[in-house]
Amino acid sequence: MLLSPLLFAFEVWQLVISERYLGIKQIERDADPRNLGLGEWTAFIWSLGILLSWAWMTAMLFERFGRVQAVCMLVVTGVGFMLRRNCGLKWVLVILTLEGAIRVGMLMSLIGMAWRE
């Protein structure tokens, strides 16, 4: 629960980075984001953040407080992952944005619940 603000910041950062690498400008240029060369440290921090957020969501399943939000975030992440694997580059940004917005909303819900407690 204490990691919610940190994960909130990570989710927002992830949306900004994904816009940079998958955004409208990249789509207009018909550039493949895999060829843009993500920096080594950025890739490391991003991967670490994703793994930690998955671990946190999984750990939240065992807590009474916030279990519903954790289930929602895990389902959204799984569905988003499956959809992104089967769609074109133009739709990846849309799916990532929706995914991120839902996860940010769930994290805001958790922070709000903790604030009221």
Side-chain angles (χ1 to χ4, degrees), residues 24-41:
I24 303 298
K25 291 178 185 176
Q26 301 300 335
I27 292 171
E28 286 175 352
R29 281 190 248 156
D30 200 28
D32 188 345
R34 294 170 290 203
N35 297 332
L36 294 177
L38 188 63
E40 195 171 309
W41 276 105

Side-chain angles (χ1 to χ4, degrees), residues 36-101:
L36 294 177
L38 188 63
E40 195 171 309
W41 276 105
T42 304
F44 172 74
I45 298 296
W46 196 345
S47 299
L48 183 65
I50 289 171
L51 292 173
L52 288 175
S53 67
W54 287 347
W56 179 81
M57 287 185 275
T58 303
M60 286 295 290
L61 293 175
F62 301 103
E63 296 288 327
R64 285 185 81 96
F65 187 83
R67 184 178 296 156
V68 173
Q69 287 87 347
V71 168
C72 183
M73 287 188 287
L74 283 168
V75 168
V76 165
T77 301
V79 169
F81 181 78
M82 288 187 301
L83 289 174
R84 282 184 277 122
R85 294 289 161 218
N86 295 315
C87 71
L89 185 60
K90 292 180 181 179
W91 284 100
V92 170
L93 182 61
V94 173
I95 293 168
L96 275 173
T97 303
L98 283 171
E99 232 182 293

